[in-house]
Amino acid sequence: MDAKMDPKLETLHRLAREEASLGDMPIDVALYESLGRDPLEPLIGGGNVKASLGFFGRDPGREEVRWMEPLIGAAGKLVRSGVHRWKFGVDAPDFEAERAMASEVFFSNTVPYKPLGNKAWSVRVKRRFYSVIASYLVDHWAGQDLITLGNVAFHWFGLNASREERNRFKAFWEGDGRYQASFTLLLESPLSAKQKEIRLHPLPHPSPLNALWYPRFPGLLEQRLTKLSG
């Protein structure tokens, strides 16, 4: 942990470590250790916390652990390349140019640890880290527009919702055009009790394993970015 970290952000890291140190969730410890990383060090987010636009993914993968940066693996490169084209009109020439897109947007994810076998974290685990992530989004990120990647990332925002609100999430997701429409909600920080309006802009998860949507992702991302910058 950075010794100069903001005390409020340090609190979030401490809370995440305390949960992870209970040892009752399948963190991919072997991978962390093989990459010289601390398996208890959370990857809560990254990028530019002052950016108006953010991306919200499922959880870290191998490359995210390697670099301790969100969205920098195969799926993340697709996102970062799209941001580069949006900002500069051309493809990113190399990995470092893709990496530099962290200065333009904000990144976070549902659970700050890589799961064993890349299996999605259970609802129980997501709820355990909900207060950390929600507080990070409300208290530390300055923006309001968040592009969610996949159904897990989108539905994370309904974890603690009322039945009526969960029905609103369900109706939106099952409706036509969810990858063109937007969803607005009020998110509260469990630590500060502050509230902030968040506008979710869903996209499919950009994994190469997502055969249906992977080829279409760059075009969908471009549409989102164009609309948000208009």
Side-chain angles (χ1 to χ4, degrees):
M1 186 182 298
D2 188 343
K4 298 180 180 179
M5 184 181 295
D6 179 282
K8 292 182 180 179
L9 188 55
E10 188 172 351
T11 296
L12 297 185
H13 277 245
R14 176 179 55 78
L15 292 173
R17 290 184 70 96
E18 288 174 358
E19 282 293 339
S21 66
L22 296 176
D24 59 348
M25 52 184 283
I27 296 173
D28 193 348
V29 173
L31 175 70
Y32 279 82
E33 292 179 345
S34 72
L35 296 173
R37 296 296 186 184
D38 178 0
L40 297 182
E41 182 62 21
L43 184 53
I44 296 172
N48 184 355
V49 294
K50 295 181 180 180
S52 61
L53 175 64
F55 288 86
F56 193 74
R58 199 188 81 178
D59 41 56
R62 173 183 292 272
E63 293 307 304
E64 283 75 18
V65 173
R66 183 189 304 277
W67 297 96
M68 287 306 286
E69 293 181 30
L71 286 168
I72 204 165
K77 286 181 179 180
L78 210 58
V79 170
R80 290 171 182 252
S81 291
V83 173
H84 193 282
R85 286 192 298 273
W86 170 55
K87 295 296 293 186
F88 303 111
V90 295
D91 290 337
D94 50 36
F95 174 65
E96 287 306 316
E98 292 172 348
R99 241 188 122 186
M101 290 304 94
S103 66
E104 304 292 337
V105 292
F106 166 83
F107 300 113
S108 190
N109 37 238
T110 66
V111 175
Y113 295 98
K114 180 188 180 301
L116 189 64
N118 287 331
K119 295 181 179 179
W121 289 110
S122 67
V123 171
R124 178 183 63 85
V125 170
K126 284 184 286 189
R127 282 193 170 129
R128 283 169 56 177
F129 291 95
Y130 179 88
S131 62
V132 169
I133 302 301
S135 297
Y136 185 59
L137 294 174
V138 174
D139 298 331
H140 295 274
W141 174 44
Q144 292 179 282
D145 289 299
L146 200 59
I147 293 178
T148 59
L149 303 172
N151 64 321
V152 173
F154 175 79
H155 286 291
W156 177 90
F157 289 88
L159 279 179
N160 292 341
S162 65
R163 177 177 296 181
E164 180 181 356
E165 187 72 353
R166 287 198 301 271
N167 288 339
R168 192 167 75 94
F169 272 87
K170 185 174 183 290
F172 175 89
W173 192 258
E174 293 178 351
D176 294 333
R178 65 176 178 264
Y179 295 141
Q180 289 79 40
S182 299
F183 186 94
T184 301
L185 71 145
L186 197 62
L187 186 65
E188 180 174 316
S189 162
L191 297 187
S192 70
K194 292 180 181 178
Q195 294 183 326
K196 181 167 75 172
E197 184 178 271
I198 299 286
R199 294 180 290 269
L200 304 182
H201 311 284
L203 286 181
H205 193 280
S207 167
L209 300 177
N210 192 348
L212 176 62
W213 291 106
Y214 184 74
R216 299 171 60 183
F217 182 83
L220 291 170
L221 175 58
E222 182 179 3
Q223 289 176 22
R224 283 293 196 195
L225 294 175
T226 300
K227 186 174 181 179
L228 287 169
S229 61

